Amino acid sequence: MKPVMLVVDDDPQVLAAVRRDLRPRYREQYTVLSAGSGPDALSTARELKSRGESLAILISDQRMPGMLGHEVLARSRELYPLARRVLLTAYSDIDAAVKAINEAHIDHYLSKPWDPPDERLFPIVDDLLDSWQAEYLPEAKGLRLVGYQWSPRSHAIKDFLGSSLIPYRWLDVQREPGTTALIEAAGVGVDELPVLFFEDGSVLREPDSRRVAERLGRSLSVAHDLYDLAIVGGGPAGLAAAVYGASEGLRTLLLDRHAPGGQAGTSSRIENYLGFPAGVSGSDLTRRALAQAQRLGAECLSPLEVTAVAIDGIYKRLTLADGRELVTRTMLAATGMMYREHPAPGIAEHTGAGVYYGAATTEAPAFAGRRVLVIGGGNSAGQAALHLARYAEQVQIVVRRVDLRQTMSQYLIDQIAKTPNIRLRTSTEIDRVDGNGHLEHVALRSVDDGRTQVEDIDALFVFIGARPRSDWLPPDVLRDAKGFVLTGRDAMSAEGFARVWKERRDPLTLETSVPGLFAAGDIRASAMNRVAAAVGEGAMVVRLAHEYIALT
Ligand SMILES: Cc1cc2nc3c(=O)[nH]c(=O)nc-3n(C[C@H](O)[C@H](O)[C@H](O)COP(=O)(O)OP(=O)(O)OC[C@H]3O[C@@H](n4cnc5c(N)ncnc54)[C@H](O)[C@@H]3O)c2cc1C
């Protein structure tokens, strides 16, 4: 059964034009269907769903009698949340497009007419179908992961597969019918879970991320003895440096301990990155950036953790967690930040079993119809709450402050206010959590009067305070009191600078107190904590690396 492309327009001429353009190009892989009104389109989508068919893309005109396009697209989300949604508008109808972005979370808006289609229609549709394909997994095909929802090991491997953009199907052994028979048939004991089933029927018991990567044929060996630029960390800063490094002639290697994407990769929707008016999911942005870096010649390897760096004259020797060593002329530390552990009693024992750091996109579907808490008042917490609200019965955002105004962007505050199943609990903190094998109860304490209230909660997502991942860097890389790396002028004014810096020149803008070792993105002291800022800095480092190489 081919996935379906569905086009909706009340104007028969436009409909004919769309069909005329789309069918010849896509009919080998997709079935192109059309509908003459919003209600017709929704009933077609319901029929497809009842037959177990897949909808890849829904393209709807905005101005239609009875039901407007953005409403059709919004309502289709309940049936096909993964389908890509495109609004057809008149060139001047920006208001309708903005409304559709906000209310229907469309992926693109397309102005009519789209001639020539080679330039104005196909590249957009191809791109949307590619991103849909990256998430879509046909029934009973591909990777299946079987385990217990409350097992930290299952969570870790789900997180790795999701972050690595490897589509898989999650089967909770306690909830999914037929799963016990599946593992019994494969001779897998319940004490060996989680287990991964590959398409060819082979299994991997209690997998870890490295074994999964190797089993999927990902190379973890480095191709060269010496690199011009080694990038540690594959978040937006690292990926940007990889794209520019490779395109500007540097022999470039990028390493990530987990998977490329970093914090941004865990975002369900980045709405403020330039050039994406409808927002872009972190996984989509990562997929594009990684493909771009690799196409331009950067070597990108994960999961590979760098544990230490030794300075050897003008060279830097990086030690990997598996004991291997590699040498580079310049190096970029782009290892970003991670959430700080929450100190409340019970949190540590339940981490991975109902308590999650970030990870809202990985775990959201597992909490459909349940009650969840999000701790934190930043943009990442706001995005997570909105994403979780699409699945959970109720989402509570818990913050110690009296409101979100100082910590969250207004567009998120507005969206949260309009989402009926999100409740904001201000002046509140987590007192303790408990449960039997997994999180069941959370005691919330009022900051004002100290009173506590215990609630039944199925999952708690922590998005509080972040600390830099800088402890793997050598001591000569000067940091501020919190561990953020100092660069350029900030490094020069730090105590100890004269002791470590022996060059006749000043450090370059993003250079640390070790010559040729740069830092970019969230790991840097006074970072902007934005995707765009990290990308900009990553790109800048390439120019500075060239300068350093020319000096040595
Ligand atoms: C949920 C969420 C939503 C967000 N939404 C937005 C938004 O809408 N707009 C916006 O502008 N910003 C947003 N941000 C902030 C933005 O994502 C960060 O500012 C950005 O990701 C920082 O990029 P970075 O490259 O510096 O580091 P990171 O993204 O933190 O990436 C660091 C990478 O380094 C790797 N790493 C760490 N240690 C090692 C090691 N020793 N060896 C190898 N690899 C290592 C990690 O695995 C990670 O992949 C959001 C953040 C979160 C968490």
Side-chain angles (χ1 to χ4, degrees), residues 233 236-237 256-257 262-264 272 306 339 380 383 521-522 529-531:
D256 198 290
R257 65 189 290 278
Q263 298 169 70
N272 55 1
V306 176
Y339 294 110
S380 51
Q383 280 181 15
D522 282 8
N529 308 115
R530 289 284 178 275
V531 176

Side-chain angles (χ1 to χ4, degrees), residues 75-276:
R75 289 177 56 180
S76 72
R77 278 180 82 191
E78 288 155 26
L79 294 163
Y80 285 101
L82 285 187
R84 296 306 184 249
R85 275 167 274 273
V86 178
L87 188 75
L88 284 176
T89 57
Y91 182 70
S92 54
D93 211 352
I94 296 292
D95 283 352
V98 168
K99 202 167 173 147
I101 288 169
N102 290 338
E103 291 177 15
H105 294 285
I106 60 165
D107 298 285
H108 205 92
Y109 64 90
L110 199 63
S111 306
K112 295 182 288 187
W114 50 80
D115 282 328
D118 280 335
E119 274 173 35
R120 302 192 47 205
L121 180 67
F122 299 149
I124 292 160
V125 174
D126 286 354
D127 196 45
L128 291 169
L129 290 174
D130 275 358
S131 76
W132 178 78
Q133 283 285 358
E135 287 180 29
Y136 160 74
L137 193 63
E139 276 297 335
K141 272 185 87 184
L143 274 189
R144 283 170 296 170
L145 175 67
V146 180
Y148 290 101
Q149 172 60 31
W150 306 118
S151 145
R153 296 196 66 165
S154 293
H155 170 66
I157 203 71
K158 277 198 267 182
D159 198 36
F160 172 71
L161 291 170
S163 314
S164 305
L165 313 176
I166 301 168
Y168 70 98
R169 191 171 297 282
W170 162 243
L171 299 171
D172 180 348
V173 75
Q174 288 173 312
R175 292 172 86 188
E176 210 71 51
T179 313
T180 314
L182 179 72
I183 56 169
E184 276 172 10
V188 175
V190 284
D191 53 342
E192 293 175 299
L193 297 180
V195 63
L196 255 183
F197 287 80
F198 293 86
E199 203 166 344
D200 63 5
S202 61
V203 298
L204 195 56
R205 295 166 165 83
E206 300 183 79
D208 62 36
S209 47
R210 189 174 176 119
R211 282 165 66 214
V212 175
E214 282 168 347
R215 177 67 182 69
L216 290 171
R218 296 201 171 183
S219 165
L220 294 178
S221 44
V222 292
H224 302 285
D225 296 333
L226 174 65
Y227 288 87
D228 296 320
L229 173 62
I231 302 161
V232 186
L239 284 166
V243 166
Y244 287 90
S247 68
E248 292 178 24
L250 295 180
R251 185 177 280 175
T252 302
L253 172 70
L254 179 143
L255 303 168
D256 198 290
R257 65 189 290 278
H258 183 58
Q263 298 169 70
T266 68
S267 165
S268 50
R269 202 170 184 88
I270 299 164
E271 303 212 32
N272 55 1
Y273 189 54
L274 187 73
F276 290 88

Side-chain angles (χ1 to χ4, degrees), residues 336-532:
M337 302 196 298
M338 61 198 289
Y339 294 110
R340 208 174 303 127
E341 277 128 42
H342 197 288
I347 295 259
E349 295 88 308
H350 292 93
T351 298
V355 172
Y356 305 99
Y357 285 86
T361 45
T362 305
E363 292 295 344
F367 292 97
R370 308 231 193 153
R371 289 165 55 91
V372 305
L373 279 189
V374 170
I375 316 178
N379 280 359
S380 51
Q383 280 181 15
L386 286 164
H387 184 69
L388 287 161
R390 288 168 57 185
Y391 299 88
E393 179 197 293
Q394 193 202 42
V395 179
Q396 300 190 52
I397 302 177
V398 176
V399 286
R400 295 175 70 169
R401 290 174 182 255
V402 291
D403 60 35
L404 296 173
R405 269 182 304 181
Q406 279 179 13
T407 53
M408 197 179 285
S409 298
Q410 191 60 42
Y411 76 91
L412 286 170
I413 297 177
D414 294 344
Q415 285 180 30
I416 285 167
K418 281 193 225 150
T419 309
N421 61 337
I422 299 185
R423 176 180 171 200
L424 174 62
R425 297 190 65 160
T426 53
S427 307
T428 305
E429 57 191 9
I430 307 293
D431 184 58
R432 61 183 193 282
V433 308
D434 64 52
N436 188 6
H438 62 90
L439 177 79
E440 288 172 305
H441 314 289
V442 176
L444 296 164
R445 185 175 50 233
S446 158
V447 173
D448 299 329
D449 58 20
R451 281 209 305 223
T452 58
Q453 190 184 346
V454 178
E455 297 211 5
D456 293 346
I457 295 292
D458 298 298
L460 186 154
F461 294 86
V462 184
F463 287 87
I464 50 157
R467 60 182 172 84
R469 282 173 147 144
S470 62
D471 44 4
W472 57 280
L473 286 164
D476 281 1
V477 173
L478 298 176
R479 281 152 259 200
D480 70 8
K482 290 185 176 161
F484 288 96
V485 173
L486 299 165
T487 52
R489 283 174 184 280
D490 291 344
M492 284 171 75
S493 44
E495 207 188 302
F497 179 72
R499 179 178 49 81
V500 296
W501 186 262
K502 300 297 172 206
E503 305 290 303
R504 284 165 189 270
R505 60 178 178 88
D506 290 347
L508 303 168
T509 321
L510 295 174
E511 197 171 22
T512 66
S513 46
V514 169
L517 199 163
F518 299 90
D522 282 8
I523 194 181
R524 237 171 38 78
S526 65
M528 295 293 157
N529 308 115
R530 289 284 178 275
V531 176

